[in-house]
Amino acid sequence: LFFATHAWDGHYPSYNPKNETRRLHYPDSMYIQPPKTATEQHWKDLPRFFTEQNEGRNRWRRRFEPDYFQDNIKSMYSMATEVDSVVGDVIEELKRQGTLNQTLLIFTTDNGNLHGEHGLAEKWYPFEESLKVPLVIQDPRMPKSKRGTVSDAWTLNMVGA
C-alpha cells in the first residue's frame, strides 16, 4: 500500500485534508510554533545564489511565510493524521485476519522536507531538516531483544538504483 501527504503543487491551498480531520485535530485556535530557523535572517544568511526566484522560496511564499504558516502546517499535519488513521485500520485488519505476525511493515519517505526553515519549502536542499528520513520497520522475524530499539544509522533511498 502507498499513502502520502503530498502538496498539490501550483494550487493554493496546497494541502487538502478532510475538513473534519482539520477541525478535530488542528483547530484554528491551536498555535503551532514555527521552526526556529524560519526567520528572514536565516534566509538572508544563505549564499547569494539563493535568490527570490528560487523555487523553494516561491513555494515558501504561499505555504510557510508568516501569513500562511498556521493554516498550511495544520493542513499538512491533518493529512499525516489521516495517513496514520488508515495505517491503524490496516494493522487492525491484519490482526483480524491473524496475519499481523506474518507481515513485514515498513514506513518511510523518499526525503525530508522544509516547512519554512531558512525561508524555504520543499526537499531539494542539504539542510538537516531535509536530509533526515524516517524509517520504521516492524519485522516479526526480528529478535525480541531488538524490537522497539532505535538506531542512529543512516538510511539511503535506493529507488531507481
Side-chain angles (χ1 to χ4, degrees), residues 130-144:
S130 187
L131 293 175
K132 289 197 172 183
V133 177
L135 175 63
V136 178
I137 300 172
Q138 178 179 305
D139 187 344
R141 301 166 298 182
M142 183 179 283
K144 288 187 180 188

Side-chain angles (χ1 to χ4, degrees), residues 4-134:
T5 56
H6 193 275
W8 188 10
D9 294 333
H11 294 87
Y12 300 97
S14 296
Y15 303 101
N16 296 289
K18 295 177 184 175
N19 288 335
E20 84 180 56
T21 305
R22 175 75 160 73
R23 229 178 1 263
L24 184 63
H25 297 284
Y26 302 96
D28 290 339
S29 60
M30 177 187 285
Y31 179 78
I32 296 176
Q33 183 69 39
K36 64 183 177 184
T37 60
T39 69
E40 189 63 21
Q41 189 59 52
H42 279 88
W43 166 251
K44 289 177 180 177
D45 288 344
L46 293 175
R48 68 174 188 260
F49 56 81
F50 279 90
T51 68
E52 291 294 328
Q53 288 73 41
N54 178 286
E55 187 59 25
R57 186 67 168 175
N58 289 333
R59 292 181 185 194
W60 168 84
R61 280 189 193 91
R62 294 297 298 271
R63 293 182 189 167
F64 301 117
E65 68 180 332
D67 290 345
Y68 296 100
F69 179 83
Q70 290 298 316
D71 188 53
N72 279 293
I73 201 74
K74 289 174 189 176
S75 291
M76 188 187 65
Y77 285 177
S78 295
M79 292 172 64
T81 299
E82 291 167 2
V83 170
D84 185 61
S85 177
V86 171
V87 168
D89 292 346
V90 169
I91 289 172
E92 287 304 312
E93 181 60 23
L94 291 168
K95 286 178 183 177
R96 189 189 70 71
Q97 292 181 19
T99 58
L100 180 61
N101 290 332
Q102 302 163 358
T103 304
L104 173 68
L105 300 174
I106 300 173
F107 301 92
T108 191
T109 184
D110 65 335
N111 54 266
N113 215 334
L114 296 174
H115 303 117
E117 294 91 346
H118 311 282
L120 295 164
E122 291 298 335
K123 57 189 177 184
W124 309 295
Y125 309 103
F127 295 111
E128 181 178 3
E129 303 91 345
S130 187
L131 293 175
K132 289 197 172 183
V133 177

